[in-house]
Amino acid sequence: MSVADAIFSADFLFIVLRVTTPILFATLAVTVATRSGLFNIAIEGIMLVAALVGVIFSAKFQNPWLGLLFAILAGGLIGALLGFMVLRLKTDAILAGVALNLMATGGTIFLLYLVSGDRGASSSLKSIPLPNITIPFLEKIPFLGTVLSRHNILTYLAFLSVIIVYILLYKTPLGLKIRAVGENPNAAESVGINVNKIQYIATVISGVLAALGGAFLSMGYLSWFTSGMTAGRGFIGLAADAMGGSTPIGGLIVSLVFGIADAMANVFQTGVNVPYELVQMIPYITTIVGLAIYSYNKKRKREKMIKQ
C-alpha cells in the first residue's frame, strides 16, 4: 500500500482519533484554566503523574477503574496545588507550572523505582488497561465501523468532553462565573463572585481533564508506564488551545490537525525512505508552523484595529 492509499484509509482515520485523544484532553484542560484567567502550563506534568498513578493502582487492585479514579484524583490534587501556589502564595503561574513539570519528570521516575524497582518502564507492574468499546450498530457499517468502533473508552470520553466543556462554559452558572473571572476579575468581584474560589475550581477541573489524557497514554494507548511517555503532548495542548481561541470547538479542530500530523508520522515510518528522526519531528514542526501562522494573523488583526 502506498503512503497516499494509507492516508485515505479507514485505518488511518482510526489512528487519527486514537492519537488525538490525549492531545484533546490536554487542550480542554488548558481551555478551562485559561478561561478562568489562570494559565496552566503544568499540563505535561499532570499527565505524566496521572499516567504513572493509573498504572500503579490498576496493578495494585487489579482493577482499571480504580486506577483511573486514582489518576483523576492525582490530577485534581496537582491542579489544586497549582491554584494554591498561584492564588495563595502569589507565585508566578508560568514558574509554578514549570516547577511542577520538572518535579513530575523526575518524581515519576523516582516513584516508579520506589514502588516496583523498575527503571524507566513499569515492566514488573501487571496493570490492567481500560477496555475498548465495540459499537454494535456501527461495527457492521463498512469504513465507518472501522473508523469509529473498537476505540478505548477514554477516546469516546475525550470527544464527549468537548460537548461537556462547552455546556459547562456557556450554559451553566459556573461557566459564566469562570468566563467572567477570566475576562475581568475586578468586575466579577464587584458583583459578589469569589474570584479565588472560581479559579481554584477551574484549576481542579483542568487537572482532572489533563489526568484523563495521561491515564489514556498508560491505560489505553499502551498498557504500561514509561518515563517521559507524554512526549510533549501537554505542550501541544497549550498550542492547540491558543490556536483554537480557547474554545472547546476550536480546540477540537486544532487537536485533530495535530492528531493527523501525529498519525502521518506513524505512516511515514514504514512507507517513506526518510530518517526516523525527521519523521518523528512532524507533529512538533506542525505545532511551530501553526503557532507562527496564529501569531501572524493575531498581529495583523491588532494592526487593523489600531489603524481603525
Side-chain angles (χ1 to χ4, degrees), residues 245-270:
S246 291
T247 63
I249 304 302
L252 168 63
I253 294 170
V254 180
S255 295
L256 283 169
V257 172
F258 287 129
I260 291 170
D262 202 348
M264 288 177 64
N266 293 335
V267 171
F268 288 164
Q269 285 181 32
T270 56

Side-chain angles (χ1 to χ4, degrees), residues 87-88 90 181 193-202:
L87 302 173
R88 185 66 180 272
K90 305 301 179 183
V181 167
I193 297 175
N194 188 327
V195 173
N196 281 3
K197 179 182 176 181
I198 295 301
Q199 289 185 323
Y200 266 119
I201 293 172

Side-chain angles (χ1 to χ4, degrees), residues 52 56 108-125:
L52 175 59
I56 290 174
T108 49
I109 298 173
F110 181 61
L111 181 59
L112 176 63
Y113 179 74
L114 287 181
V115 171
S116 65
D118 294 328
R119 298 176 182 272
S122 60
S123 56
S124 65
L125 294 176

Side-chain angles (χ1 to χ4, degrees), residues 128-152:
I128 301 175
L130 291 162
N132 295 332
I133 304 298
T134 299
I135 304 176
F137 64 91
L138 275 177
E139 181 73 14
K140 298 178 182 179
I141 302 177
F143 192 86
L144 195 61
T146 303
V147 174
L148 297 179
S149 187
R150 297 177 293 106
H151 284 285
N152 187 268

Side-chain angles (χ1 to χ4, degrees), residues 44-105:
E44 183 84 1
I46 295 173
M47 292 176 71
L48 199 57
V49 171
L52 175 59
V53 170
V55 165
I56 290 174
F57 283 95
S58 173
K60 179 177 177 59
F61 295 109
Q62 287 297 289
N63 187 318
W65 302 109
L66 285 176
L68 178 62
L69 174 62
F70 279 97
I72 290 172
L73 289 174
L77 285 173
I78 298 175
L81 176 61
L82 176 66
F84 178 78
M85 294 169 68
V86 175
L87 302 173
R88 185 66 180 272
L89 302 181
K90 305 301 179 183
T91 308
D92 181 82
I94 302 297
L95 295 178
V98 170
L100 289 173
N101 285 334
L102 292 174
M103 187 169 63
T105 301

